[in-house]
Amino acid sequence: MTLSRRRTAALAVAAVILGGVSGCGGSGGGQDKQGDGGGQGPSTFSVALTEPDHLTPGNTSSSYSIKVLDTVFDTPVYIDADGKPQMRAAESVTSTDQKVWTIKIKPGQKFSNGEPVTAESFADAWNATAYGPNGWTNNYYFENIEGYDALNPESGTPSTDKMSGLNVVDPNTLKVALTGPFSQFPITLAYIAFAPMPKAAFKDLKAYDQAPIGNGPFMLDGAWQHNQKIAVKKSPEYAGDRKAQSDGVEFKIYASRDTAYTDLRADKVDLLTTIPPASSSEAKKLFGDRFVAMAGGTMDYLGFPMFDKRFANADLHKAISMAIDRQAIVDAVYNGAFKPMASLVAPLVPGYREDACGETCTYDPAKAKQLFDQAGGFSGTLNLYFSNADPSYEQWMTAVANQLKQNLGIQDIKFRKIPASDYLTTLREHKEDGPYRQNWVMDYPSPQNYLEFMWGNNNKMGWENKEFNDLIKQANEAPSVEASLPLYQKAEDLALAEMPLIPLWNWQDQSGHSTRIDNVQITPYSDNLDTITVKQK
């Protein structure tokens, strides 16, 4: 099964996990709210967040949004701390041929408005996401389901709004027919795009995006106050396995994570899941065992606009890669907290190879200049693109620019700093005319999630390679996850040979929390905010 990534579907490149957070309105996280009678108020806590783009599960790939949605929705499957898929809203996910899958939904579940969660709730949500005219971000996740093409015709209006591959057998059974065998399918069901939606959502999808009704342990508490806060409270209807251990969470929206870190130090916010790397040494001393660092699934890359013939030569890509001192940038910008990478997938992912890239990802200015000259050099202005979501992006782009000037002799380099809200659109529409910062936040631990969604058809680089796509198809159709890994690795080797996207470094997720909260159980796959308790005075 190869996902074709149609033009109507937006390629999701999730933004960095809490890339930036800045001052906001709302009450501080340093004390409990008091009840009218002056007694102990609700046990709520606060989490630093960047403004989400959407709150409809099928219409966002932003980690900012997902942080909220993870509290409001239960997906069929979740990924445990060991990276293994486990059942959540689903009771079982089975198949005899890896092409037709049966999903049994746990009975007795309800949405926060009291509606029952059924197989139809999942089918309705998936059809809405896959329906091309909706233009939802996660559309392409459903390309491997039979009937997707009818919802996304090359031209004209779709003849239907339902995929033929979704069959609601009974209230608790959903059969899913794929276009081909896909061993990774149960893992994909952990991604937020596969969450259910109630019938009430379809009365006004625009309103639903501002106040989603989910089947998770929390529900929206009041309106989404844009650029200020999003509050959730314990859902009285929740019947799942992860009961909320607090009364609610206030997501305080910031525009700078440095400001969020300042608030964390001052007990004005209770949890910050990405402490600025430059502050990591201080945070370790300040927070002690309330500071946690772990390898993450987020990778940073430098991409090339392959649709621009000036960037067609693979030797130019390799020259730029070898001219970049990854370790020096990681040390200077990220205080040594991140790990330079020579692989296209993160270390958490099965099939990861530490040195897949070989010498091409090794800093070697002399070899870089040789390859650069061999490629014919570069004339004109080299524009470097990045978003304004975080100050560190400009810092490391500045370092890259200086190294390209010094090691390759490219003197005319200019920055193109794009508003975060417009950046992904700029890349999706191929409006960039120079190398650009791109990152990927893992949706689920599979090499397919990185390789196919970033290098497959209709990717942001405009790179095309039939052999790569054929290998991905073979890997997807392998009889098991284990059997798929050598095939994914061969595909990775092909991508690295041409390097339309240069791997740079892997993020280390660094979190800190206040003394007010306990039972913080963050993993690379979830913040698990439902487990957090608030200490009573």
Side-chain angles (χ1 to χ4, degrees):
M1 174 211 70
T2 297
L3 306 186
S4 64
R5 194 110 58 261
R6 292 185 178 273
R7 287 185 292 276
T8 57
L11 175 64
V13 176
V16 298
I17 297 177
L18 188 61
V21 261
S22 157
C24 67
S27 61
Q31 55 186 315
D32 285 331
K33 299 174 184 176
Q34 298 299 312
D36 293 339
Q40 180 64 48
S43 62
T44 64
F45 64 95
S46 57
V47 177
L49 186 73
T50 292
E51 174 77 356
D53 58 355
H54 294 282
L55 290 181
T56 299
N59 196 23
T60 184
S61 62
S62 165
S63 59
Y64 317 139
S65 304
I66 292 171
K67 191 179 293 291
V68 177
L69 295 178
D70 187 49
T71 70
V72 178
F73 289 89
D74 274 3
T75 49
V77 169
Y78 76 99
I79 305 298
D80 68 17
D82 296 320
K84 304 296 184 183
Q86 306 291 346
M87 297 300 107
R88 177 150 281 165
E91 193 172 77
S92 63
V93 180
T94 58
S95 176
T96 57
D97 60 2
Q98 298 195 89
K99 182 177 180 181
V100 177
W101 294 84
T102 299
I103 302 174
K104 288 285 187 180
I105 306 302
K106 291 178 182 176
Q109 299 176 85
K110 291 183 178 181
F111 289 99
S112 61
N113 67 345
E115 280 190 42
V117 177
T118 66
E120 190 174 11
S121 308
F122 288 91
D124 288 347
W126 300 2
N127 280 322
T129 306
Y131 187 61
N134 283 341
W136 286 3
T137 299
N138 291 324
N139 171 291
Y140 67 92
Y141 274 93
F142 300 90
E143 288 182 335
N144 60 327
I145 295 178
E146 290 284 358
Y148 170 88
D149 288 354
L151 276 64
N152 297 270
E154 292 291 344
S155 61
T157 304
S159 58
T160 180
D161 59 0
K162 292 179 174 57
M163 290 181 284
S164 59
L166 295 183
N167 179 22
V168 177
V169 178
D170 60 48
N172 295 318
T173 307
L174 178 64
K175 276 194 177 295
V176 184
L178 305 181
T179 55
F182 186 35
S183 63
Q184 317 290 309
F185 182 69
I187 303 174
T188 69
L189 295 177
Y191 185 52
I192 195 63
F194 292 90
M197 290 170 62
K199 293 189 180 303
F202 299 96
K203 295 177 181 177
D204 188 340
L205 287 173
K206 186 174 291 187
Y208 182 80
D209 192 53
Q210 299 298 303
I213 300 165
N215 63 324
F218 294 93
M219 61 185 288
L220 264 286
D221 184 10
W224 171 5
Q225 298 180 34
H226 289 274
N227 298 302
Q228 293 186 38
K229 71 175 184 178
I230 299 171
V232 299
K233 62 183 178 182
K234 184 186 295 186
S235 172
E237 300 289 350
Y238 185 66
D241 298 328
R242 50 177 191 142
K243 303 287 187 183
Q245 300 303 303
S246 70
D247 291 325
V249 184
E250 180 184 288
F251 294 95
K252 299 181 66 175
I253 299 174
Y254 294 81
S256 161
R257 61 177 165 172
D258 290 319
T259 306
Y261 177 64
T262 299
D263 274 5
L264 179 67
R265 292 181 58 193
D267 278 342
K268 293 181 179 178
V269 70
D270 292 312
L271 177 63
L272 173 60
T273 55
T274 302
I275 289 174
S279 301
S280 59
S281 296
E282 177 192 66
K284 289 177 186 177
K285 296 176 183 177
L286 185 64
F287 296 104
D289 60 5
R290 291 182 287 115
F291 171 86
V292 178
M294 68 183 77
T298 304
M299 295 271 291
D300 274 1
Y301 305 84
L302 189 70
F304 297 99
M306 299 295 289
F307 45 85
D308 185 328
K309 63 183 180 181
R310 297 177 301 165
F311 297 96
N313 195 314
D315 283 341
L316 176 62
H317 312 158
K318 295 175 182 178
I320 290 176
S321 176
M322 298 178 78
I324 297 174
D325 189 341
R326 293 162 173 77
Q327 188 64 59
I329 296 176
V330 163
D331 290 342
V333 178
Y334 297 115
N335 201 28
F338 293 174
K339 179 181 178 181
M341 291 299 296
S343 170
L344 298 184
V345 301
L348 291 170
V349 177
Y352 162 76
R353 295 171 295 165
E354 184 175 6
D355 195 29
C357 187
E359 70 167 4
T360 312
C361 292
T362 302
Y363 181 55
D364 188 338
K367 184 66 178 291
K369 187 62 165 67
Q370 179 184 338
L371 285 171
F372 182 72
D373 293 340
Q374 187 175 305
F378 185 84
S379 59
T381 301
L382 184 69
N383 290 317
L384 298 180
Y385 285 75
F386 54 93
S387 85
N388 67 351
D390 190 278
S392 69
Y393 303 164
E394 185 165 359
Q395 292 170 17
W396 72 254
M397 271 297 197
T398 299
V400 166
N402 290 337
Q403 291 173 2
L404 297 183
K405 289 178 181 178
Q406 178 179 337
N407 297 327
L408 300 181
I410 305 174
Q411 298 304 316
D412 187 7
I413 300 179
K414 288 186 169 56
F415 290 159
R416 295 290 181 260
K417 184 160 63 172
I418 310 295
S421 57
D422 299 328
Y423 189 66
L424 292 182
T425 300
T426 298
L427 300 186
R428 279 196 293 262
E429 296 180 356
H430 290 172
K431 293 180 178 179
E432 74 278 16
D433 62 355
Y436 56 90
R437 176 198 176 272
Q438 184 171 358
N439 84 311
W440 184 261
V441 181
M442 178 177 63
D443 300 322
Y444 46 86
S446 166
Q448 177 265 344
N449 183 238
Y450 288 80
L451 299 176
E452 184 160 12
F453 292 159
M454 293 186 71
W455 282 266
N457 290 328
N458 295 330
N459 54 68
K460 287 183 171 59
M461 300 92 71
W463 181 63
E464 297 179 359
N465 188 301
K466 183 179 183 302
E467 186 179 357
F468 175 91
N469 291 333
D470 287 345
L471 280 168
I472 293 294
K473 182 176 186 295
Q474 293 172 40
N476 289 345
E477 296 180 354
S480 67
V481 171
E482 291 72 20
S484 72
L485 298 182
L487 295 164
Y488 287 128
Q489 289 172 344
K490 286 184 180 180
E492 181 184 14
D493 290 340
L494 279 177
L496 285 168
E498 296 190 30
M499 295 199 83
L501 201 66
I502 296 172
L504 295 175
W505 39 76
N506 172 245
W507 285 55
Q508 296 287 304
D509 298 334
Q510 301 180 119
S511 65
H513 64 270
S514 74
T515 56
R516 290 186 63 251
I517 59 175
D518 210 346
N519 295 315
V520 180
Q521 299 178 25
I522 297 172
T523 74
Y525 313 101
S526 173
D527 291 342
N528 293 313
L529 300 183
D530 54 285
T531 69
I532 292 178
T533 56
V534 179
K535 296 177 183 178
Q536 298 298 316
K537 294 181 180 179

